[in-house]
Amino acid sequence: QVQLVESGGGLVQPGGSLRLSCAASGGIRSIRTMNWYRQAPGKERELVATTTSGGNTNYQDSVKGRFTFSRDNVKNTVYLQMNSLKPEDTAVYYCNWVVLPVTRNTFLEVWGQGTLVTVSP
């Protein structure tokens, strides 16, 4: 069974930085996409960054130039480096992968449990 575990959230002042991690466990045969979403209080979940297996990454306009997606294939982990954080970045951040597990013949969407990022003075 494929599982994703996020870490790295916390409280940071405006202008500060955090790095979120998302580690995958379980047998994965192939990865279609790896994504970071966030959900602010009272708002719908939104896509922050997405990357394909080919390595193309796209960002939501509000985070371009401030957030950077990276991956460590050896550790099966992806990261979201967040710089110049703003109060409006406050949200629960979720990683989301679309993968082909070794135990299945169809792709599966997997979500992490979320990690809270709070940007406040």
Side-chain angles (χ1 to χ4, degrees):
Q1 183 178 358
V2 177
Q3 293 184 322
L4 300 178
V5 177
E6 298 119 335
S7 60
L11 174 64
V12 64
Q13 293 186 340
S17 298
L18 282 175
R19 189 178 79 156
L20 306 182
S21 300
C22 173
S25 62
I28 297 174
R29 204 177 340 161
S30 177
I31 300 172
R32 178 176 288 169
T33 59
M34 294 176 287
N35 312 297
W36 284 99
Y37 284 80
R38 67 184 179 187
Q39 187 165 20
K43 295 188 177 181
E44 293 188 356
R45 192 171 297 188
E46 61 181 5
L47 182 63
V48 175
T50 180
T51 190
T52 65
S53 58
N56 295 317
T57 303
N58 291 292
Y59 299 93
Q60 183 191 97
D61 284 347
S62 67
V63 307
K64 282 181 182 177
R66 300 188 298 122
F67 290 11
T68 303
F69 186 109
S70 62
R71 61 189 292 184
D72 183 328
N73 292 330
V74 174
K75 295 182 179 180
N76 231 10
T77 300
V78 299
Y79 305 94
L80 187 67
Q81 177 66 44
M82 305 185 296
N83 299 327
S84 302
L85 283 161
K86 305 175 182 179
E88 51 263 43
D89 294 318
T90 295
V92 178
Y93 284 72
Y94 299 89
C95 63
N96 162 272
W97 292 20
V98 178
V99 302
L100 182 63
V102 296
T103 56
R104 293 168 60 107
N105 291 321
T106 56
F107 279 85
L108 177 70
E109 184 175 34
V110 185
W111 289 89
Q113 83 286 358
T115 184
L116 177 63
V117 172
T118 304
V119 184
S120 179

